[in-house]
Structures are given as structure tokens and as C-alpha cells.
Amino acid sequence: MPKKVIYIAGLGLIGSSLALAIKRGQPDYEILAYNRSQESRDIALKEGMVHAVTDDFAAFAPLADVIILALPIQQTLDFLEVLSQLELKDKVLITDAGSTKAQIVAEAEACLQDRPVRFVGGHPMAGSHKSGAIAADVTLFENAYYIFSPSSLTQPGTIEEMKEVLVGLKARFIELEAGEHDLVTSQISHFPHILASSLMEQAGHYRKDHPMTQHFAAGGFRDMTRIAESEPGMWTSILLTNRAAILERMEDFKNRLDQVAQLLQRGDEEAIWQFFNHGRELRKAMEIHKRAGVDSFYDIFINVPDEEDAILGILELLRGTSIVNIRINEENREDINGILQITFKNREDLEKSAKIVRENTKYQVFLD
């Protein structure tokens, strides 16, 4: 493919990681970037993520063959309007990286319908608790879903061209209509964030009269509420741009809670057992243990005793190996070991690490 000029608007985690991954897959491309804050612009230049940066979005837009809006949702909507007023290259390819799609696609169609441009919605289903260009990770998107939502401005070959531009992400590309995207993500992403924050609100109020709540909040409660620490501005925008689907999921959940309450009121032991068993079977059938529904991460499980420096010793053995995540699966019992779960991005690192731990410790090691 001929050399292209890629313009990335937004050098947060997603935008800066896109820059690194595009550069890896297409080293001949010229990568330009916009970012409001000086710090991320400086980091991107210093680390060689991009060739040039600006704090004036309109400055580089006319130079681009591909424009990627890696911005908060409302800013993406605003910048689509800005693009409609600029002189752009003929058939420039415009896309975004927002977590909701219907409103963005509709805005693009409304703003750009009379312009000689192409637009396809995009959603890389990857992220981290880190933010900014300093958190850029060239491997962030590997094996994760990258969703394309076509619009009336998506011409034949548009999505294939985007796949070629993004080949260095090593992502799994899929097409999904914008409305269906928002319905699916309302259930498996947006509504769970409401649940997590609601549980924290409830527990925070409850601990005022029952202070031990503060100390026993581990295990399942910790796992269910982890995402309550997500950035509030982003999630406010997501909710407001997918409100109908999320409200419907909330109403459905309230009805399901009412049904369980009725079982408890009746003391229906068999029905309660069936409720829990059905949930267990459903979870086994869904690919929840896999990131974005694909086998993109590999886990090692190590039985570790409650001893000083046990975990640090294991991590020291694995120094130099790329680790995605670490967690301790607590059992809240004193007579058994905890389970240290370490996540890797590829099976080679998984198997190498398992071999190292087995050869240098007496801990039990299991592979997922």
C-alpha cells in the first residue's frame, strides 16, 4: 500500500497506543497528532510515536489520508462538525474510537454527507487503568476485538483499507451495525459500570452503621466493584449517548431482582438453588474468561502460602517477562493457600514462566 499520512486526534492511552501500533505495522507511514495538553505532545515526540504534533486540530487535517478521532465522545461529535468545515483530501478516510457508535455514526452522516469523504465508526475494545501518552502500549490491542460500524459514507473497500492501516495492532476485526453495537455493549459493559458504582454507594452508606463492612470488602465484592474506579467523565458521556439501551437493561435487571426477592419471601429453596445453578451454567457457557470473547490472554495459577515475600519471590523469578495482570484470588480462610493469578499475552511466555516457577519453587502451578 502507498505511503499514507495518518492523523490521530487525541494522545491519550488509545490514541498514543494506536500511533505505536500503526508505526509497527506500517513503518513508512507519516503519523501526525493533535493533543490539547503539552505534556502528552512532548512525550509523543520524545518517544518517537509521531512525526509531528499540534494543539490546533485544523492545522494537520488537510494533510491526512486517514483521520482517527481518538477523543472523548462529545469531543468526537464536535470535531466531526469541525471537519465538515475544513478543506480535506478527496476521499479522506475518517474514523473514531468511541465506546458508543449510533450517535457518532449519525453525526458523521449528518455533517459529512455532502463532502467527498469516507467514514466508518470504530471501537477498539481494549483499555487500561492508566491514561495519557505516558501509558502508550504497542501491544494494547493484540487479539482484542476491534469493531467497525459502517455508515452510509462507508464505501466498498473502506473497511479493508482500515484493516491494512491498522495491521500492526494485531487485533481481531469485526463489523457490527452501530445500533447493535450499542445494544450489546449496554449489557456487557455500560450497565455493569452502573452496578459497580451502585454497589459502592450502597456499601459506603451501609458502613456508617456497620463499620466492619469496610474491612471485609474483599473477594467477590472486590471483583464486582473494581470497575467503579473508572474515569467518571468518560462514563458520563457513554451513558448519555446510549441512554435508551442502558435504561432498558436497568429496568430488566430490576424485574429480575424482584423475582429473586419473591423467591426469598416464599422461602422457595428449590427455586433459589435453580437460580444460582442457572447463573453458574450460563457463566460456564459464555467466554467470560477470555478478553473480548477471544482467547487473547493466558493465565497461570500458583498456590502460594501466606508468607512474607512469597509473591515478590515469584515476580523476581519472572523478571524480564511481559506480564499483563496480577491478582490474588482470596478465599478468606486461614487454613489454605491463596491463588496467585498471573496473566500473559501469549502461550510462549505462559509456558516459559510455568517452567521457571516449577523448577525454582515447590508451589503448585496450573495453566488455564
Side-chain angles (χ1 to χ4, degrees):
M1 178 173 287
K3 179 179 177 180
K4 290 181 180 293
V5 176
I6 312 298
Y7 186 26
I8 299 175
L11 287 172
L13 171 70
I14 297 298
S16 56
S17 297
L18 282 172
L20 287 176
I22 292 172
K23 184 177 180 181
R24 175 172 68 176
Q26 301 288 2
D28 292 333
Y29 284 5
E30 182 178 4
I31 302 178
L32 310 177
Y34 156 85
N35 201 72
R36 188 167 49 190
S37 76
Q38 180 74 42
E39 182 180 7
S40 285
R41 295 200 306 271
D42 290 345
I43 291 171
L45 278 177
K46 180 181 177 182
E47 299 300 324
M49 300 176 191
V50 299
H51 295 92
V53 295
T54 181
D55 61 355
D56 176 9
F57 173 68
F60 288 162
L63 307 176
D65 298 295
V66 178
I67 298 173
I68 302 174
L69 302 176
L71 300 161
I73 294 172
Q74 186 55 55
Q75 196 173 2
T76 295
L77 298 171
D78 294 341
F79 275 31
L80 287 170
E81 175 64 29
V82 173
L83 287 171
S84 73
Q85 307 300 318
L86 299 178
E87 290 297 325
L88 305 174
K89 283 187 177 181
D90 189 44
K91 294 187 178 179
V92 61
L93 202 170
I94 303 171
T95 188
D96 76 298
S99 298
T100 59
K101 293 270 67 76
Q103 189 168 340
I104 291 174
V105 168
E107 182 70 11
E109 291 175 334
C111 290
L112 304 172
Q113 60 179 335
D114 297 325
R115 302 298 307 278
V117 305
R118 296 171 292 163
F119 180 86
V120 59
H123 180 196
M125 297 190 71
S128 167
H129 65 283
K130 301 176 183 178
S131 61
I134 196 170
D137 180 2
V138 71
T139 68
L140 182 67
F141 311 102
E142 288 184 4
N143 293 318
Y145 276 146
Y146 196 112
I147 299 174
F148 293 115
S149 292
S151 73
S152 61
L153 302 174
T154 304
Q155 299 176 6
T158 298
I159 293 177
E160 289 307 312
E161 185 174 337
M162 276 305 308
K163 290 179 182 179
E164 188 67 24
V165 169
L166 301 174
V167 66
L169 275 64
K170 301 183 180 180
R172 303 200 183 192
F173 300 112
I174 186 172
E175 294 180 38
L176 193 63
E177 187 271 330
E180 181 65 14
H181 168 280
D182 289 359
L183 289 173
V184 171
T185 53
S186 73
Q187 173 64 65
I188 53 86
S189 177
H190 308 165
F191 176 57
H193 276 79
I194 296 174
L195 279 182
S197 291
S198 297
L199 280 171
M200 288 309 310
E201 287 281 348
Q202 183 187 48
H205 180 77
Y206 200 64
R207 71 179 178 180
K208 295 176 182 178
D209 295 324
H210 306 279
M212 291 308 293
T213 301
Q214 175 81 14
H215 304 288
F216 291 165
F221 184 85
R222 176 201 58 208
D223 293 344
M224 291 181 68
T225 58
R226 175 184 56 81
I227 55 177
E229 295 186 18
S230 299
E231 203 280 313
M234 180 183 74
W235 282 100
T236 299
S237 295
I238 288 173
L239 263 61
L240 291 176
T241 53
N242 198 22
R243 67 180 75 184
I246 297 170
L247 285 169
E248 189 277 331
R249 290 293 80 201
M250 293 175 69
E251 190 64 32
D252 178 85
F253 194 80
K254 286 189 287 185
N255 292 336
R256 293 178 186 276
L257 281 181
D258 287 342
Q259 292 172 18
V260 178
Q262 291 170 13
L263 299 181
L264 285 172
Q265 289 167 353
R266 296 200 306 265
D268 191 334
E269 182 178 355
E270 173 62 22
I272 293 171
W273 186 92
Q274 290 293 346
F275 165 74
F276 283 114
N277 188 61
H278 189 228
R280 180 176 65 173
E281 294 302 318
L282 285 172
R283 194 179 194 283
K284 288 180 180 178
M286 293 181 71
E287 296 181 332
I288 291 174
H289 65 291
K290 299 176 181 179
R291 184 185 183 194
V294 294
D295 190 10
S296 51
F297 284 167
Y298 300 86
D299 293 317
I300 184 175
F301 299 87
I302 307 169
N303 284 4
V304 290
D306 184 13
E307 296 177 355
E308 185 176 358
D309 294 337
I311 294 175
L312 288 177
I314 292 172
L315 296 180
E316 183 62 32
L317 289 172
L318 302 182
R319 179 187 291 272
T321 302
S322 179
I323 293 175
V324 174
N325 194 24
I326 300 170
R327 63 178 288 182
I328 302 171
N329 299 320
E330 301 167 331
E331 295 291 345
N332 288 333
R333 288 178 55 184
E334 296 180 356
D335 58 334
I336 61 175
N337 292 343
I339 304 294
L340 175 64
Q341 179 180 348
I342 306 177
T343 305
F344 306 91
K345 278 197 172 178
N346 58 67
R347 182 159 292 280
E348 180 182 358
D349 285 345
L350 173 80
E351 293 176 348
K352 180 181 71 174
S353 298
K355 184 173 184 291
I356 291 173
V357 175
R358 284 170 174 153
E359 290 178 349
N360 291 276
T361 75
K362 296 181 180 180
Y363 306 146
Q364 289 181 302
V365 178
F366 306 92
L367 304 185
D368 184 12

